[in-house]
Amino acid sequence: MDPAGVRRVFAEAKEGRRDFLRSAFAAAAAGVAAAGVRAAPAPADGDPNILQLPEHSRALGQAVALNDGYGKPSKYESNVRRRQSPGLTQTDQASVSFAPLQSLFGIVTPSGLHFERHHQGWWDIDPSKHRFMINGNVKTPKVFDMDEIMRLPSVSRFHFIECGANTAMEWGNVAVPTVQYTHGMLSCSEFTGVPLITLLQMAGVDTRKNRFVLAEGADGAAQTRTIPMELVESGEVLVAYGQNGEMLRPEQGYPLRLVVPGVQGVSWIKYLRRVKVGDMPFGARDETIGYVDLMPDGQHRQYSSIQECKSVVTTPSGGQVLLDKGFYNITGLAWSGRGKVSRVDVSVDGGRNWRTARLQGPVMSKCLTRFSLDWVWDGRPAIIQSRAIDETGYVQPTRPQLRAVRGTRSTYHNNGIQSWLVQENGEVKNVQVS
Amino acid sequence: MDPAGVRRVFAEAKEGRRDFLRSAFAAAAAGVAAAGVRAAPAPADGDPNILQLPEHSRALGQAVALNDGYGKPSKYESNVRRRQSPGLTQTDQASVSFAPLQSLFGIVTPSGLHFERHHQGWWDIDPSKHRFMINGNVKTPKVFDMDEIMRLPSVSRFHFIECGANTAMEWGNVAVPTVQYTHGMLSCSEFTGVPLITLLQMAGVDTRKNRFVLAEGADGAAQTRTIPMELVESGEVLVAYGQNGEMLRPEQGYPLRLVVPGVQGVSWIKYLRRVKVGDMPFGARDETIGYVDLMPDGQHRQYSSIQECKSVVTTPSGGQVLLDKGFYNITGLAWSGRGKVSRVDVSVDGGRNWRTARLQGPVMSKCLTRFSLDWVWDGRPAIIQSRAIDETGYVQPTRPQLRAVRGTRSTYHNNGIQSWLVQENGEVKNVQVS
């Protein structure tokens, strides 16, 4: 607007002609905006000032607090969703949905995209009716309601959770197409709750004699798992009600879930209703029939519940396409059930040469760590791998190293190095490097 | 089940009578479960084994990957929502919705509950059509599409964002009822994006001569703000596309937003379409008409955009009710636009005595920090306050200290100590301690 125009705007405004003020300001905004967007569509609109502007730069948008005051992702992101693997399980309730790792950033998994693994479907349990009991070898068995738990001292911590069966298909020669299906039973959240040891102490536990607890869920599966008292005593095991700032989601055990950092997901009992204290492992159903590692000699390994150090490149990964040569930011996730990740190496030639990746801070214990590495793709085939090392010095094994010890018939605890082949046409696929 | 029952289950299973197997397992689960829940409702059901069990412990639940593969909170949490303050603004588009701080845990704000502040409503902009331009005093003006930005080296960082007008009502003698309305223009996320300095360097910026940039949004408000080059050079200012692991939400500027850690929210330009480089502040509309501090002498203070050290107790807080005497976990949030929070003190007697609260790690720079303190309420009236100190040594001022310097006619940048009165009946209300 020229100076005369400005004077006119203020004169009109004084007289209360707000409509004019609005349109004048819109025109001013349009003048600024036209410089900003080169390729904006030209709407069929009479006003020459706004010819170059998309609608969102010249009209009134949406109001606040829509959708019952709870926001949703963009409609353009509908492809970013958790996915069930067709045919993997016989029912949709005793099933799995995988997190879309290929589309995620940083380390926090949005709760709406957190992977699901149910043994008998999920429930939305009324928290006013939910109770949590401590019994077994304690002086005074206790029953807590949610109000009683939520007024106790709480902590909040960032931790990953990984299903023991994550990456299971890679044991065989089935190279499933995307990182969502190879590694998507992995998520990471800020959990809030009361350390289990606090509640056990209220019940008068004697931890010298009683080295195990049994945790039990209130869903139809009545999922039960033995947890070593050593982990409970560390203060790390939480009776959690919060996840990523809000109450747990129903699929994640609302209103109460056991958080067992570093341990496979099946032990993070959802809909937690009971912890029983005992002096030996409980040998629950899923500690004997499932979640055991079949070894090459035909025996199976039990109580192997710590998730060992592991990593995976999420971009570029299977199903993605590199559109042309040039710079790319190779990025992925690393984690260890034994503590912090100390280093991640990345290879673009199938493991012959390795470069050390950048780790994004803060690097937290038993939490995902985001790594990245600059890479200029020359257009030739490349096999991309990552190898994580944790603070204990443990090095993530190659696929052949893992098979030499564990054989090929396991379902659980596959932490081998993942290989992605970038083909000449830019298409990325899952390959198994022997 | 007795041993005979077990034998029968396995015999039936071998014959393929899966239905029997299922019901037998359900009965076994029921036996375990009945011990766990004391007060479960007794359904009118013929099977004596499941008389004591709620439906969720004996039936098949919901399937995975429902709701288009994107989960939602529990139906019992519908009260946890962002809320518009009735009558605060003339339209619902140039308005505010506040985050429900009283119901949140830890430091991450769920994206669905992140506060909203729009100047002309929000849009869901097609990312394939969005462009980001760098122009002004640069060698080579640049236009980027989203693909070009997303392949560059990125970082992920946790930061708070606070509207400069947060806690504005407390300047007057209007004690709004809840912490959602007093402090709810505050949220915290993990943001992912490209440091702005990287993009400016690609355009050939000379930062010795050019000490300011103008950032501009593509919504109807064409929101524009001056950012000092000093902040950009630090690498902290991001051209962000990710928030809490996924793409930005539409209300937060999808697909591109400027992240300016420590600075008031209005500078975190949403729908970012342009950064212009210059050698002096740009004096944009909202740097002259709005977002200025009216001082006691009638002058106004401009470019006061850093959010100074501040804290607030979120539980107990206005509108909550303590049901009885006894133990409570006093908890709240502290933050500083100048770096890390180094200490938080809490008073339960209106500021006469202070105790140092526990800080939940990791304590990150320009990020929310959760604090908590054990408290045994004796049933008498108590005035609860928190006082944060940051790593520069700055101490959050009392309300009278703040007013002595700033007067009472400001709208912006109120970081005074908040007081909550716990009444004898347990009801908590906002009070202004003079």
Side-chain angles (χ1 to χ4, degrees):
Chain A
M1 280 182 289
D2 58 7
V6 172
R7 277 195 302 276
R8 189 158 63 96
V9 167
F10 283 118
E12 299 278 2
K14 270 193 178 168
E15 292 168 19
R17 290 178 54 187
R18 302 291 296 264
D19 279 350
F20 175 75
L21 187 63
R22 251 202 300 278
S23 66
F25 266 48
V32 176
V37 178
R38 281 202 320 189
D45 192 309
D47 184 343
N49 280 318
I50 57 174
L51 263 182
Q52 297 303 311
L53 281 178
E55 192 194 5
H56 58 74
S57 293
R58 54 193 167 87
L60 200 55
Q62 298 291 301
V64 298
L66 297 182
N67 301 310
D68 295 325
Y70 201 94
K72 297 185 300 184
S74 163
K75 67 184 178 202
Y76 299 103
E77 299 297 317
S78 60
N79 195 44
V80 181
R81 51 168 296 177
R82 41 194 186 197
R83 289 184 173 86
Q84 191 175 3
S85 181
L88 189 67
T89 57
Q90 288 185 315
T91 70
D92 296 341
Q93 288 94 352
S95 189
V96 169
S97 78
F98 298 86
L101 301 184
Q102 69 280 4
S103 303
L104 302 185
F105 314 113
I107 59 169
V108 170
T109 309
S111 297
L113 296 171
H114 192 291
F115 85 88
E116 298 170 279
R117 170 72 178 106
H118 312 303
H119 289 255
Q120 202 155 336
W122 62 267
W123 291 88
D124 194 1
I125 292 177
D126 183 344
S128 72
K129 293 184 180 150
H130 190 71
R131 299 293 180 272
F132 170 62
M133 178 162 84
I134 293 175
N135 71 351
N137 295 350
V138 292
K139 264 189 206 148
T140 318
K142 292 266 183 195
V143 176
F144 299 87
D145 64 25
M146 289 301 297
D147 287 341
E148 288 164 341
I149 288 173
M150 292 179 71
R151 64 194 278 189
L152 294 174
S154 64
V155 297
S156 298
R157 300 203 185 109
F158 291 88
H159 289 299
F160 78 83
I161 172 172
E162 183 183 20
C163 178
N166 201 23
T167 324
M169 302 299 275
E170 302 293 308
W171 278 118
N173 288 310
V174 183
V176 296
T178 68
V179 72
Q180 181 160 13
Y181 291 125
T182 60
H183 290 74
M185 287 198 283
L186 171 73
S187 294
C188 185
S189 301
E190 184 187 29
F191 292 97
T192 297
V194 180
L196 174 58
I197 191 68
T198 302
L199 298 163
L200 292 185
Q201 284 164 350
M202 290 172 76
V205 70
D206 181 350
T207 58
R208 285 168 308 174
K209 291 184 197 162
N210 298 289
R211 302 304 299 160
F212 298 93
V213 303
L214 183 77
E216 179 190 87
D219 58 338
Q223 191 65 37
T224 47
R225 294 289 303 187
T226 302
I227 314 288
M229 189 65 85
E230 193 184 340
L231 296 178
V232 178
E233 284 173 313
S234 76
E236 286 194 350
V237 177
L238 305 181
V239 174
Y241 44 81
Q243 182 170 12
N244 290 339
E246 61 190 350
M247 287 295 284
L248 288 163
R249 294 294 179 85
E251 313 93 274
Q252 305 304 330
Y254 178 84
L256 219 49
R257 175 178 215 172
L258 200 68
V259 165
V260 194
V263 170
Q264 60 186 343
V266 68
S267 292
W268 298 44
I269 297 295
K270 296 189 282 194
Y271 318 106
L272 182 71
R273 71 170 163 206
R274 187 166 72 114
V275 163
K276 181 179 182 180
V277 175
D279 55 7
M280 51 190 290
F282 288 81
R285 181 186 56 204
D286 275 335
E287 292 167 350
T288 48
I289 295 174
Y291 295 89
V292 293
D293 299 324
L294 187 55
M295 302 296 279
D297 63 2
Q299 295 207 315
H300 66 239
R301 200 172 67 165
Q302 214 178 353
Y303 296 116
S304 51
S305 56
I306 304 282
Q307 297 297 102
E308 298 290 355
C309 187
K310 187 169 170 182
S311 69
V312 67
V313 170
T314 54
T315 295
S317 65
Q320 294 181 332
V321 180
L322 306 193
L323 294 175
D324 51 29
K325 300 174 191 178
F327 182 91
Y328 287 91
N329 185 38
I330 296 178
T331 184
L333 296 164
W335 62 100
S336 167
R338 307 238 179 232
K340 293 182 183 178
V341 169
S342 58
R343 201 179 91 206
V344 178
D345 299 324
V346 170
S347 173
V348 295
D349 58 8
R352 277 189 291 280
N353 296 286
W354 297 89
R355 286 161 63 201
T356 298
R358 293 185 298 277
L359 303 186
Q360 176 69 62
V363 175
M364 294 181 270
S365 180
K366 305 177 186 179
C367 181
L368 295 187
T369 297
R370 172 69 60 178
F371 66 85
S372 51
L373 185 82
D374 300 342
W375 179 49
V376 178
W377 183 43
D378 60 10
R380 285 182 299 184
I383 292 176
I384 299 183
Q385 301 178 328
S386 65
R387 175 179 69 191
I389 302 167
D390 71 17
E391 60 180 331
T392 72
Y394 177 99
V395 182
Q396 184 184 3
T398 64
R399 189 166 175 269
Q401 284 168 342
L402 189 65
R403 287 172 165 234
V405 177
R406 301 272 310 280
T408 60
R409 293 183 296 166
S410 272
T411 300
Y412 303 97
H413 307 117
N414 185 333
N415 70 326
I417 288 174
Q418 173 70 37
S419 303
W420 303 115
L421 169 64
V422 180
Q423 299 171 294
E424 283 185 5
N425 63 2
E427 288 177 15
V428 186
K429 60 184 275 196
N430 184 359
V431 290
Q432 298 187 326
V433 175
S434 58
Chain B
M1 279 183 291
D2 56 8
V6 171
R7 276 195 303 275
R8 191 160 60 99
V9 168
F10 284 116
E12 300 277 0
K14 269 193 176 168
E15 290 167 22
R17 288 176 57 186
R18 304 292 295 264
D19 277 348
F20 175 74
L21 187 62
R22 252 200 302 274
S23 65
F25 267 48
V32 176
V37 178
R38 281 201 321 189
D45 192 310
D47 184 342
N49 281 317
I50 57 176
L51 264 182
Q52 296 304 313
L53 283 177
E55 192 194 6
H56 57 73
S57 293
R58 54 192 168 86
L60 201 55
Q62 298 291 300
V64 298
L66 297 181
N67 301 310
D68 296 325
Y70 201 92
K72 298 186 298 187
S74 163
K75 67 185 178 201
Y76 299 104
E77 298 297 316
S78 60
N79 195 44
V80 181
R81 49 168 298 175
R82 39 194 187 200
R83 290 184 172 85
Q84 190 174 3
S85 182
L88 188 67
T89 57
Q90 287 185 315
T91 70
D92 296 339
Q93 288 94 353
S95 189
V96 169
S97 79
F98 298 85
L101 301 185
Q102 70 281 4
S103 303
L104 301 185
F105 313 114
I107 59 170
V108 170
T109 309
S111 297
L113 296 171
H114 192 292
F115 85 89
E116 298 170 279
R117 169 73 178 106
H118 311 303
H119 291 254
Q120 202 157 336
W122 62 266
W123 291 88
D124 194 2
I125 292 177
D126 184 345
S128 71
K129 292 182 179 150
H130 190 71
R131 298 292 180 274
F132 170 62
M133 179 161 84
I134 293 176
N135 70 351
N137 294 351
V138 292
K139 264 189 203 149
T140 319
K142 292 266 182 195
V143 176
F144 298 87
D145 63 24
M146 288 300 296
D147 287 340
E148 288 164 343
I149 288 173
M150 292 180 71
R151 64 194 277 189
L152 294 174
S154 63
V155 298
S156 297
R157 301 204 184 108
F158 290 88
H159 288 299
F160 78 83
I161 172 172
E162 183 183 18
C163 179
N166 201 24
T167 325
M169 301 299 276
E170 303 292 309
W171 279 117
N173 288 311
V174 183
V176 296
T178 68
V179 72
Q180 180 160 14
Y181 291 125
T182 59
H183 290 75
M185 286 199 282
L186 171 74
S187 294
C188 184
S189 302
E190 184 187 27
F191 292 97
T192 298
V194 180
L196 175 58
I197 190 69
T198 301
L199 298 162
L200 292 184
Q201 284 165 349
M202 290 172 76
V205 71
D206 181 349
T207 58
R208 285 166 309 176
K209 291 182 194 160
N210 297 290
R211 301 305 299 160
F212 299 92
V213 303
L214 183 77
E216 178 189 87
D219 59 340
Q223 191 64 38
T224 48
R225 295 288 303 187
T226 302
I227 314 289
M229 188 64 84
E230 192 184 342
L231 295 178
V232 178
E233 284 172 315
S234 76
E236 286 193 351
V237 177
L238 306 181
V239 175
Y241 45 81
Q243 183 169 11
N244 291 339
E246 61 190 352
M247 288 295 284
L248 288 163
R249 293 293 178 85
E251 313 93 273
Q252 303 304 332
Y254 178 86
L256 222 48
R257 174 177 218 174
L258 201 67
V259 165
V260 195
V263 170
Q264 61 185 342
V266 68
S267 292
W268 297 45
I269 296 295
K270 296 188 281 192
Y271 319 105
L272 182 72
R273 70 171 164 207
R274 188 166 71 115
V275 163
K276 181 180 181 178
V277 176
D279 55 6
M280 51 190 291
F282 289 81
R285 180 188 57 204
D286 274 334
E287 292 165 351
T288 48
I289 295 174
Y291 295 88
V292 293
D293 299 323
L294 187 55
M295 302 297 279
D297 63 1
Q299 295 208 314
H300 67 237
R301 199 173 66 163
Q302 213 177 354
Y303 295 115
S304 52
S305 57
I306 303 281
Q307 297 296 103
E308 299 289 357
C309 189
K310 187 169 171 181
S311 68
V312 67
V313 170
T314 54
T315 295
S317 66
Q320 295 181 333
V321 180
L322 306 194
L323 293 177
D324 51 29
K325 304 176 191 177
F327 183 91
Y328 286 92
N329 184 39
I330 297 178
T331 183
L333 296 164
W335 61 100
S336 167
R338 306 239 181 232
K340 293 182 183 179
V341 169
S342 58
R343 200 177 91 205
V344 178
D345 299 325
V346 170
S347 173
V348 294
D349 59 7
R352 277 189 290 280
N353 297 286
W354 297 90
R355 286 162 62 203
T356 299
R358 294 186 297 276
L359 303 185
Q360 176 68 61
V363 175
M364 294 181 271
S365 180
K366 305 176 185 180
C367 180
L368 295 187
T369 297
R370 170 70 58 177
F371 66 85
S372 51
L373 186 81
D374 300 341
W375 180 48
V376 177
W377 184 43
D378 61 9
R380 286 182 297 184
I383 293 176
I384 299 183
Q385 302 179 327
S386 64
R387 174 178 69 191
I389 303 167
D390 71 16
E391 60 180 333
T392 72
Y394 177 98
V395 182
Q396 182 182 4
T398 64
R399 190 166 175 268
Q401 284 168 342
L402 188 67
R403 288 172 164 235
V405 177
R406 300 272 310 280
T408 60
R409 295 184 295 165
S410 270
T411 300
Y412 303 96
H413 307 118
N414 184 332
N415 69 326
I417 288 174
Q418 173 70 36
S419 303
W420 304 114
L421 170 63
V422 180
Q423 299 171 296
E424 283 185 2
N425 64 3
E427 289 177 13
V428 186
K429 59 184 276 198
N430 185 0
V431 290
Q432 298 187 325
V433 176
S434 58

